[in-house]
């Protein structure tokens, strides 16, 4: 298959591209290589991908309408996986327009490209953050998600709504992927695992938000990628049992689905820090801080729908995953 992976120089896009290439797919990657975090890390990921003959890369911004139209004219994609986005909850408070440009304008360009070139299936990154103010856990796709607490979350929920309209109007099969705190080698420098590992190895204080009273359903990158590949292979169809009197939010009368991809094993933040201390054999200097605006205190994924549809459930333990990240970090940064 010929697959467009957007955000191919990003953390998840890089790993997904590697996996698709390993199984023999042709991958066209795009990314705008923005400097939200260290561009060299993005370039290093790309270097690895460029070693594959079946990989090609174009530097392109999702919000570049003409460029995106050209991309879809130049290629006939069998599948599109949209991972490019402005990520991060905290950054969205000071930089709202970055989310509008990449996650809303950019996403319309993806939808239009898929529509006009008859792509068989668009899967796209949503986020656990769509659960917003919900407290009933584990978070299920059957729950209402109308109370986002950051613009980032709202942009991801908006993607699900926009996708639904294209599934309805143009019968474009779409699947939204609600990822739960993804971590692993080549991970993002703005996320907790990277910041904590760096701080602990450099013996610098690490900021622990909500005084450590945070719980996250940390999900290892290989599990995320396995889930994405399986879901992308499974083209959604209309749900014949969908009932407009009692609408199931996770499916529809048209080819539309959303899935949680999470570990279903919530971990306390302090236990996460302890796992890093174990892996680094060093003690963290902790700087206790209040919760940050837009953050949610706790996440846990119900993954029964994923298991039922694609017979897969993430299972990597946090200690195993953290060990792999720390090994990568030490080697990559020569620490
Ligand atoms: N990592 C997580 O824990 C997590 C959790 C939930 C959802 N997500 C979502 O998964 C997707 C991938 O996340 P990630 O962790 O790999 O993030 P990432 O920032 O490492 O990857 C995103 C990539 O997209 C590129 N990009 C951003 N805006 C772009 C634009 N307008 N045009 C082209 N390229 C652009 C960036 O340069 C980056 O390389 C994102 O949509 C993110 O919101 C991630």
């Amino acid at each position: 298959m010929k697959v467009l992976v957007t955000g191919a120089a990003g953390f998840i896009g890089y790993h997904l591209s590697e996996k698709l290439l390993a199984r023999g797919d042709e991958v066209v990657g795009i990314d705008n290589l923005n400097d939200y975090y260290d561009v060299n890390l993005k370039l290093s990921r790309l270097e690895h991908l460029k070693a594959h003959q079946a990989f090609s890369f174009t530097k392109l911004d999702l919000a570049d309408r003409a460029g995106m139209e050209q991309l879809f004219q130049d290629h006939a994609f069998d599948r599109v996986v949209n991972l490019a986005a402005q990520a991060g909850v905290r950054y969205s408070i000071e930089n709202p327009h970055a989310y509008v440009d990449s996650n809303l304008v950019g996403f319309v360009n993806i939808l239009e490209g898929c529509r006009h070139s008859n792509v068989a299936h668009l899967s796209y990154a949503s986020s656990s953050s769509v659960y917003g103010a919900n407290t009933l856990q584990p978070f299920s796709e059957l729950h209402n998600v109308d109370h986002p607490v950051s613009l980032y979350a709202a942009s991801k929920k908006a993607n699900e709504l926009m996708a639904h309209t294209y599934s309805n109007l143009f019968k474009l099969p779409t699947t939204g992927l609600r990822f739960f705190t993804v971590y692993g080698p080549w991970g993002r420098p703005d996320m907790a695992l990277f910041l904590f590992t760096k701080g602990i190895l450099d013996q610098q204080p690490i900021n622990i938000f909500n005084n450590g009273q945070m719980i996250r359903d940390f999900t290892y990158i290989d599990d995320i990628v396995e889930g994405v590949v399986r879901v992308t292979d499974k083209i959604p169809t209309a749900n014949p049992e969908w009932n407009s009197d009692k609408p199931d939010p996770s499916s529809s009368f048209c080819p539309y689905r959303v899935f949680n991809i999470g570990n279903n094993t919530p971990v306390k933040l302090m236990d996460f820090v302890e796992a890093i201390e174990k892996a680094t054999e060093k003690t963290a200097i902790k700087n206790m801080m209040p919760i940050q605006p837009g953050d949610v205190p706790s996440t846990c994924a119900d993954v029964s729908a994923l298991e039922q549809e694609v017979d897969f459930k993430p299972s990597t333990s946090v200690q195993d995953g953290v060990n792999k990240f720390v090994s990568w970090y030490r080697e990559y940064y020569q620490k």
Side-chain angles (χ1 to χ4, degrees):
M1 287 198 301
K2 188 170 189 177
V3 186
L4 170 64
V5 176
T6 75
F11 170 38
I12 302 173
Y14 160 65
H15 285 280
L16 175 70
S17 300
E18 285 281 15
K19 177 106 183 174
L20 294 173
L21 290 161
R23 76 170 190 178
D25 288 338
E26 182 184 346
V27 174
V28 175
I30 66 163
D31 201 296
N32 68 358
L33 299 174
N34 69 56
D35 63 359
Y36 168 62
Y37 64 75
D38 183 13
V39 178
N40 285 324
L41 183 59
K42 297 182 182 182
L43 293 173
S44 300
R45 295 180 186 128
L46 273 185
E47 276 313 303
H48 283 258
L49 292 177
K50 285 178 178 167
H52 299 268
Q53 280 218 318
F55 179 78
S56 61
F57 178 75
T58 304
K59 185 173 178 221
L60 181 60
D61 196 307
L62 288 189
D64 173 354
R65 185 166 154 189
M68 290 294 288
E69 280 172 4
Q70 192 61 49
L71 176 78
F72 279 92
Q73 271 166 27
D74 289 348
H75 301 273
F77 299 118
D78 299 298
R79 300 281 186 282
V80 173
V81 186
N82 184 51
L83 298 173
Q86 180 57 55
V89 168
R90 289 169 199 149
Y91 189 76
S92 69
I93 309 218
E94 299 305 327
N95 302 278
H97 294 102
Y99 293 75
V100 173
D101 295 344
S102 294
N103 305 7
L104 301 181
V105 175
F107 195 63
V108 173
N109 290 337
I110 289 284
L111 288 168
E112 280 290 287
C114 291
R115 166 192 176 189
H116 290 293
S117 60
N118 292 317
V119 167
H121 186 192
L122 163 66
S123 32
Y124 60 94
S126 179
S127 165
S128 60
S129 65
V130 299
Y131 291 101
N134 293 13
T135 49
L136 179 63
Q137 294 204 9
F139 293 147
S140 159
E141 301 92 337
L142 300 175
H143 296 168
N144 169 297
V145 289
D146 281 333
H147 300 88
V149 294
S150 68
L151 189 70
Y152 169 66
S155 75
K156 291 296 182 179
K157 167 71 180 169
N159 286 172
E160 296 179 356
L161 296 171
M162 293 155 86
H164 187 268
T165 65
Y166 275 64
S167 297
N168 167 42
L169 293 167
F170 312 111
K171 303 294 166 267
L172 171 68
T174 65
T175 304
L177 309 157
R178 294 179 180 168
F179 300 140
F180 282 66
T181 318
V182 189
Y183 73 101
W186 297 95
R188 267 169 43 200
D190 61 322
M191 290 186 70
L193 178 55
F194 193 109
L195 294 167
F196 290 173
T197 301
K198 183 173 193 308
I200 291 171
L201 287 174
D202 295 346
Q203 287 294 282
Q204 293 296 318
I206 57 170
N207 289 335
I208 307 228
F209 294 116
N210 204 22
N211 295 305
Q213 301 300 304
M214 299 274 249
I215 293 178
R216 283 288 177 276
D217 200 359
F218 292 101
T219 311
Y220 190 63
I221 183 67
D222 291 0
D223 287 332
I224 289 286
V225 164
E226 183 66 32
V228 174
V229 169
R230 287 185 188 225
V231 167
T232 299
D233 283 344
K234 176 134 194 170
I235 300 180
T237 51
N239 174 5
E241 274 145 42
W242 195 83
N243 176 352
S244 56
D245 285 341
K246 238 175 94 190
D248 158 14
S250 73
S251 69
S252 184
F253 57 88
C254 56
Y256 166 90
R257 282 302 300 252
V258 290
F259 287 109
N260 287 340
I261 310 189
N263 213 36
N264 187 233
T265 312
V267 173
K268 290 186 186 144
L269 186 56
M270 299 318 287
D271 292 342
F272 192 62
V273 173
E274 214 178 291
I276 306 170
E277 290 179 322
K278 237 189 215 162
T280 53
E281 297 179 316
K282 284 192 178 352
T283 307
I285 307 165
K286 301 173 192 122
N287 181 24
M288 295 305 194
M289 304 268 288
I291 193 162
Q292 299 292 290
D295 260 0
V296 297
S298 169
T299 64
C300 175
D302 178 338
V303 286
S304 48
L306 182 74
E307 214 178 345
Q308 198 186 333
E309 280 302 309
V310 298
D311 195 24
F312 174 72
K313 183 177 181 300
S315 62
T316 306
S317 76
V318 152
Q319 190 67 62
D320 282 355
V322 164
N323 290 347
K324 286 184 180 141
F325 173 82
V326 169
S327 302
W328 167 79
Y329 183 96
R330 298 193 96 147
E331 197 189 322
Y332 185 79
Y333 290 102
Q334 300 284 301
K335 290 277 181 180

